[in-house]
Amino acid sequence: MVCALGAAVCFGTATVLQAMAARAAAAGPTDSRESPRGGPGGGPGGDAALLLRALRQWRYIAGLALDGLGFLFQIAALRSLPIYAVGAALAASLAVTAVVAARLLRARLSGVEWAAVGVVCAGLGMLGLSSGTEGERAGSDALRYAMLATAVGVLVLGLLGGRLPERGRGLVLGLGAGFGFGVVEVSVRLVDELSVGALVANAAVYALVVGGAGAFLALTSALQRGAVTVPTAGMVIGETIGPAVIGVVWLGDRTREGLGWLAVAGFGVAVVGALALARFGEAPD
């Protein structure tokens, strides 16, 4: 659980930095005019070009570095904890985002918002007490190829994000990013052999890479304009519920004896608290 919480700290801090960088990239010299829809930029802002512009921002680079470190923590956590526990801990990165936003962006947290941070921590504590070890099922080839197909879909969504209608765009891209990060969570568990030949032949390896790239692209597109509450909430939902179900049903994740109810309650409490804090991915205009 320590590694899962370390990943949450890294990802939560990175969210603030990347949101600020995405806004700066969208409002850069090539996109400084108002679009016909009233948003920044005159062209499709949610494509690979936006990501390239964001990569010129030092905040985005710093965020990527933290994401890389968080990913290492995430891999370590997934090797010893059920997916549902790791997923809830990663959703709790929104609590970290809230605290970091309060510090870096000088945003004030109300009493209710601090209470939501406490709720997230309580949910994680419940999960920590109830979580068993990771499941022992290896996962089928069908599941590996399903993850790869989902990853390709997320990547296509990220590439076409700027062409989506404004209405509902943030939610769709946020859910897509969440599915991509969820693919990464599941795929880490589906990589069971580390020899070169086994890695090359394992569809989960490609799903992990493509899913991560597609998730970053979709999230960058979602963060470029308007409030980030909806896409961030969509991301939290996408990266927690689906992978948790896959872990329990197909990979054999279980709780400690007699504490299944506590794990379910802790998962729900942590995710609800994270959703309440979703707006702290907000960056200044």
Side-chain angles (χ1 to χ4, degrees), residues 152-228:
V152 171
V154 171
L155 181 60
V156 171
L157 176 65
L159 291 171
L160 299 179
R163 297 175 173 82
L164 294 176
E166 193 71 25
R167 184 178 178 84
R169 175 177 176 272
L171 179 60
V172 171
L173 287 171
L175 283 170
F179 290 150
F181 290 129
V183 165
V184 171
E185 293 175 29
V186 176
S187 296
V188 167
R189 285 279 298 276
L190 295 176
V191 178
D192 45 11
E193 293 185 35
L194 299 180
S195 65
V196 175
L199 291 175
V200 170
N202 192 338
V205 174
Y206 304 101
L208 192 156
V209 175
V210 175
F216 274 118
L217 189 56
L219 183 59
T220 300
S221 178
L223 292 176
Q224 69 161 315
R225 68 175 78 163
V228 300

Side-chain angles (χ1 to χ4, degrees), residues 119-120 122-124 126 264-274:
V119 165
V120 170
L124 290 177
M126 295 161 69
V264 172
F267 180 86
V269 166
V271 172
V272 169

Side-chain angles (χ1 to χ4, degrees), residues 69-175:
L69 180 59
F71 181 62
L72 295 178
F73 282 133
Q74 180 183 359
I75 291 176
L78 286 167
R79 289 300 182 182
S80 59
L81 290 174
I83 291 178
Y84 65 80
V86 178
L90 296 182
S93 66
L94 271 297
V96 177
T97 299
V99 175
V100 173
R103 176 70 175 177
L104 295 184
L105 307 181
R106 298 183 180 179
R108 286 193 172 187
L109 274 66
S110 68
V112 172
E113 291 155 351
W114 278 116
V117 173
V119 165
V120 170
C121 294
L124 290 177
M126 295 161 69
L127 276 172
L129 290 173
S130 60
S131 296
T133 58
E134 65 171 341
E136 297 180 354
R137 298 180 194 168
S140 64
D141 287 338
L143 181 58
R144 290 179 172 84
Y145 282 105
M147 291 299 100
L148 180 56
T150 302
V152 171
V154 171
L155 181 60
V156 171
L157 176 65
L159 291 171
L160 299 179
R163 297 175 173 82
L164 294 176
E166 193 71 25
R167 184 178 178 84
R169 175 177 176 272
L171 179 60
V172 171
L173 287 171
L175 283 170

